[in-house]
Amino acid sequence: MHSPVHRVSATEATFRAIRDLIEDESISPGDRLPGEITLASRFAVSRSVVREALHACATLGLTETRSGSGTFVISKTPTGAAEFGGYDPDDLMEARIHIEVPTAGHAADRRTPEELERMRALLARMRSTTVIHEWVRLDHDFHTLVAEASRNSVLMSISASMRRALDPQSEFLNITQARQHDSDAEHADILAAIEAGDREGAERAARQHIDGVAAAVRANR
């Protein structure tokens, strides 16, 4: 008996199938793609999965959805101009290094037992969910809690502002690169170092997490 396909994997597979369709020689910029119902039937997935995959294609500058008209191909290759919250992905990664790395280090020094318990609970829920939007919300809460544990109000404020851009990026990467499993492992490393009071280890784990995300972003270009 085969194991069920997780929704994240189905969405990634659908995204890749739509990209293959866009890259086919029979498709040209300006052409209209089949509708959501047709694509859902063709790939044996739900319309919500197709919608998420199309959203990722639009983020890469491949498609454009026009109200009442459908989804049209506007480029056969990624434009390289994908932005999240109005920010360039490279700028986001550079900023994360300067914010989240020291934040994790401070959290290792200053976290409370209650915060550790909440981090463990969040990580457990992240590992168990297969729903992209739920995982992104938990990811948001985990990083927010690490920032709170730093006891630095400036880092907390900047981290909260960055999440408005990082949340859609996180969703995008889970659709296009199935980053959930890798991110869960990286979050576990961050938590383990914070729990051990290992400042350098927490900073190193945070940096490795950011490097992993950056690599996934580059893979879409």
Side-chain angles (χ1 to χ4, degrees):
M1 180 177 180
H2 296 292
S3 299
V5 176
H6 293 310
R7 183 167 178 263
V8 170
S9 297
T11 309
E12 181 190 14
T14 302
F15 164 75
R16 296 189 181 283
I18 293 175
R19 282 200 64 173
D20 288 343
L21 178 63
I22 292 170
E23 293 169 2
D24 190 273
E25 292 181 356
S26 65
I27 296 290
S28 301
D31 289 348
R32 181 181 181 275
L33 290 177
E36 289 181 4
I37 295 176
T38 300
L39 291 174
S41 177
R42 178 183 300 186
F43 303 134
V45 295
S46 68
R47 288 184 66 183
S48 64
V49 166
V50 169
R51 200 171 296 120
E52 289 170 343
L54 288 173
H55 179 69
C57 288
T59 299
L60 287 175
L62 298 172
T63 63
E64 177 182 69
T65 299
R66 302 167 190 168
S67 180
S69 299
T71 299
F72 294 81
V73 176
I74 58 176
S75 176
K76 292 178 72 70
T77 58
T79 64
E83 291 190 346
F84 301 96
Y87 297 108
D88 179 87
D90 291 334
D91 289 346
L92 278 174
M93 293 304 106
E94 186 175 285
R96 289 188 76 174
I97 291 170
H98 293 290
I99 301 301
E100 294 186 25
V101 170
T103 295
H106 288 312
D109 287 337
R110 302 167 182 173
R111 81 290 185 276
T112 66
E114 291 77 16
E115 286 166 339
L116 285 175
E117 185 58 35
R118 288 166 59 196
M119 288 181 198
R120 294 188 202 102
L122 284 170
L123 183 58
R125 291 171 63 190
M126 291 167 75
R127 283 173 159 164
S128 66
T129 186
T130 59
V131 179
I132 291 175
H133 300 298
E134 173 69 7
W135 189 93
V136 170
R137 185 182 66 79
L138 294 168
D139 177 55
H140 174 110
D141 291 347
F142 181 86
H143 284 283
T144 297
L145 183 53
V146 171
E148 290 175 358
S150 76
R151 299 290 180 276
N152 185 302
S153 60
V154 176
L155 291 175
M156 290 167 60
S157 178
I158 296 174
S159 295
S161 178
M162 288 177 60
R163 291 316 306 179
R164 288 192 286 274
L166 292 173
D167 287 351
Q169 183 186 78
S170 180
E171 179 175 338
F172 171 78
L173 292 179
N174 274 317
I175 292 172
T176 63
Q177 296 292 318
R179 270 285 300 171
Q180 179 176 338
H181 177 75
D182 289 341
S183 288
D184 286 345
E186 293 156 4
H187 290 145
D189 289 341
I190 294 171
L191 174 55
I194 291 175
E195 189 170 13
D198 180 359
R199 182 187 186 94
E200 291 184 1
E203 292 178 345
R204 184 168 54 253
R207 177 60 186 259
Q208 290 172 345
H209 174 49
I210 295 167
D211 287 346
V213 173
V217 170
R218 288 193 296 270
N220 280 299
R221 293 179 175 175

